[in-house]
Amino acid sequence: MPKHKKTVIEFRDYDLPTHFPVLLLTGEHWRISDVPSGRLHIHNCLEIGICETDSGIMIFEDTSYPFQAGDITAVSCDIPHTTCSAFGTSSKWSYLFVDMGELLHPFFSGADLHNMELFSVSEHHLSLIMGKREYPVIHSLVTEIIEELKRKEPGFELAVRGLFLALASNLMRISALHHQKKDQPPENALVIAPALEFIRYHYMEDFPMEHLASLCGLSPTHFRRLFSSITGTRPLEHLNTTRIRKASDLLRMTEESVLSISERVGFHSISSFNRHFLSVTGKSPRDWRKQMSILKDQSLYKYNGWMYAEILKKSDP
C-alpha cells in the first residue's frame, strides 16, 4: 500500500507593531492566482480577508469551500489554509492581520482578557467565509476598519479598536452557530502551535528550548527539526527575533535606555542584544531610534501620548 503523502505546511510570521498590532495589506497588487499553491499555511495572528473581485475556493485543512466577491473570511492562526481563484481569474483581496488580544488590551485588565471566550474563539479554531448579504454587519465592520486604517485621521487607532471589539463579538456568535466537530488536522500543522503561543506571551522570560519541545509533546531533536521545517528558522532564532521586534517598538515609542529595553525583552547581555538587533533590522538600536522614533514629532506624541503610555503600561511583563 502506498504511503500517504503528508500535507506541506508553511508558517508565515507577520511583524505586527507592539503598540498597535494591526497590519493592512491592500491595493491592486494583492491578487490571488488561479494556480493552486500545492501547500497550506498557518500564521502568527488572526487573518481577516475581504474578496473584492471574482471568485474561487479556500481550502481549510482538507476541505474546500467556494468564495465570491463581497465575502469576508476569518482564519485563526492555527488553521492550515490556502486560497485559489477560479480558472482564468485573479481575485483581488484586502487583508487585515491582527493580534486581537493585544489590540484590545487597553479595554480590559490582563486577567480578564486572556480568560474571555471572546478572544480565545477569535485566536483559535476559526475558519469562516461570510457573504455580504448574509452577514451585512460583518461586512460593514471590516470595510470601516480598512477605511479607518487608510485615512489615518486623528483618533483612528481608538476607532479601529472599537470596531475590532464589535467584530470579535460578532465572530464569537457566528462561530458558535457554525460549530461542528472536524477531523484531526495534518500531523505537522498544529503540533508546534503551543511553542509559538508560549513564545508570543513569554518571550521576555528565561526558559530552555526543551520546555518548548515538552509543550508540543516532542523530543527536543524532533521538535527542532519540525519547527525549522515549518517556520524556516530555529526555535532560538524565532525567540530572539520576537524579542527584537518588541524592542524596536519600545525604542520607537519610549525614551528608555537601550540597556533597559534589552533587559526588558529578555536579553542579559547588551552585546548580544546589539548583535541580534543589527541582524534583524540592519541597524544598531541607536540608529533605529534616531530614524524611527515617534518622539521626533512632539505634536503627534502629545496627541496620542496617553494611548501609548497606557498600552506600554498594560503590556509590562
Side-chain angles (χ1 to χ4, degrees):
M1 180 179 292
K3 199 172 183 179
H4 179 68
K5 185 178 180 181
K6 292 183 179 179
T7 304
V8 178
I9 307 292
E10 291 180 346
F11 173 71
R12 298 180 181 177
D13 189 2
Y14 291 93
D15 187 8
L16 307 181
T18 300
H19 80 285
F20 189 61
V22 180
L23 176 65
L24 170 63
L25 303 180
T26 188
E28 186 60 33
H29 60 287
W30 288 105
R31 291 185 174 272
I32 304 297
S33 170
D34 62 346
V35 179
S37 69
R39 60 181 62 196
L40 307 178
H41 66 270
I42 57 177
H43 32 64
N44 63 322
C45 54
L46 174 66
E47 173 192 296
I48 305 292
I50 177 169
C51 178
E52 299 174 5
T53 68
D54 303 301
S55 61
I57 61 168
M58 283 195 74
I59 301 174
F60 298 121
E61 298 174 4
D62 57 357
T63 307
S64 299
Y65 299 92
F67 69 80
Q68 60 184 353
D71 285 354
I72 303 290
T73 62
V75 188
S76 297
C77 59
D78 53 4
I79 299 295
H81 64 285
T82 190
T83 307
C84 181
S85 296
F87 179 75
T89 68
S90 181
S91 57
K92 181 175 179 290
W93 289 73
S94 288
Y95 288 102
L96 294 163
F97 294 94
V98 56
D99 183 334
M100 195 77 83
E102 290 299 320
L103 181 72
L104 302 182
H105 203 157
F107 293 157
F108 303 93
S109 69
D112 291 337
L113 179 64
H114 294 297
N115 289 321
M116 288 183 64
E117 181 186 4
L118 176 65
F119 303 106
S120 64
V121 166
S122 69
E123 292 189 344
H124 301 283
H125 314 303
L126 191 66
S127 55
L128 299 171
I129 300 177
M130 297 161 285
K132 182 178 181 179
R133 179 177 297 179
E134 296 81 5
Y135 300 96
V137 173
I138 295 291
H139 189 275
S140 177
L141 287 169
V142 171
T143 53
E144 184 58 27
I145 289 171
I146 290 173
E147 288 305 309
E148 285 283 354
L149 291 170
K150 286 180 178 178
R151 294 193 300 261
K152 292 187 177 181
E153 295 175 349
F156 81 96
E157 292 186 353
L158 187 58
V160 167
R161 284 188 168 91
L163 290 166
F164 264 114
L165 180 59
L167 180 61
S169 302
N170 280 274
L171 290 177
M172 179 186 67
R173 295 168 182 168
I174 295 169
S175 180
L177 291 173
H178 287 77
H179 181 70
Q180 58 182 356
K181 188 175 181 180
K182 296 184 178 181
D183 295 332
Q184 290 296 318
E187 178 185 348
N188 66 342
L190 306 183
V191 69
I192 69 166
L196 292 171
E197 185 160 359
F198 186 86
I199 290 174
R200 180 180 173 188
Y201 290 111
H202 300 273
Y203 64 88
M204 74 295 294
E205 301 174 8
D206 287 328
F207 53 86
M209 294 299 102
E210 288 76 12
H211 178 63
L212 298 179
S214 67
L215 290 175
C216 301
L218 301 171
S219 70
T221 301
H222 188 196
F223 169 72
R224 286 192 295 270
R225 182 167 58 247
L226 193 57
F227 192 100
S228 297
S229 69
I230 294 173
T231 67
T233 187
R234 292 173 299 194
L236 184 57
E237 290 176 347
H238 179 75
L239 171 61
N240 285 328
T241 298
T242 300
R243 288 171 168 171
I244 294 303
R245 287 176 176 173
K246 301 296 183 181
S248 66
D249 277 333
L250 291 171
L251 287 165
R252 192 171 71 90
M253 295 186 298
T254 76
E255 293 181 322
E256 284 189 62
S257 68
V258 173
L259 177 60
S260 174
I261 289 174
S262 70
E263 294 174 344
R264 182 171 172 178
V265 299
F267 286 94
H268 298 292
S269 164
I270 189 64
S271 61
S272 177
F273 173 70
N274 288 336
R275 183 173 66 255
H276 283 98
F277 198 97
L278 180 63
S279 175
V280 172
T281 69
K283 295 180 174 63
S284 71
R286 286 180 173 79
D287 287 343
W288 172 270
R289 167 171 275 170
K290 184 177 180 180
Q291 180 177 342
M292 305 299 292
S293 176
I294 65 169
L295 303 186
K296 293 184 298 182
D297 188 340
Q298 292 298 321
S299 61
L300 174 63
Y301 180 69
K302 288 178 181 177
Y303 185 88
N304 288 326
W306 67 271
M307 186 177 297
Y308 292 131
E310 287 298 306
I311 295 167
L312 288 171
K313 180 173 65 177
K314 291 176 181 290
S315 63
D316 281 344

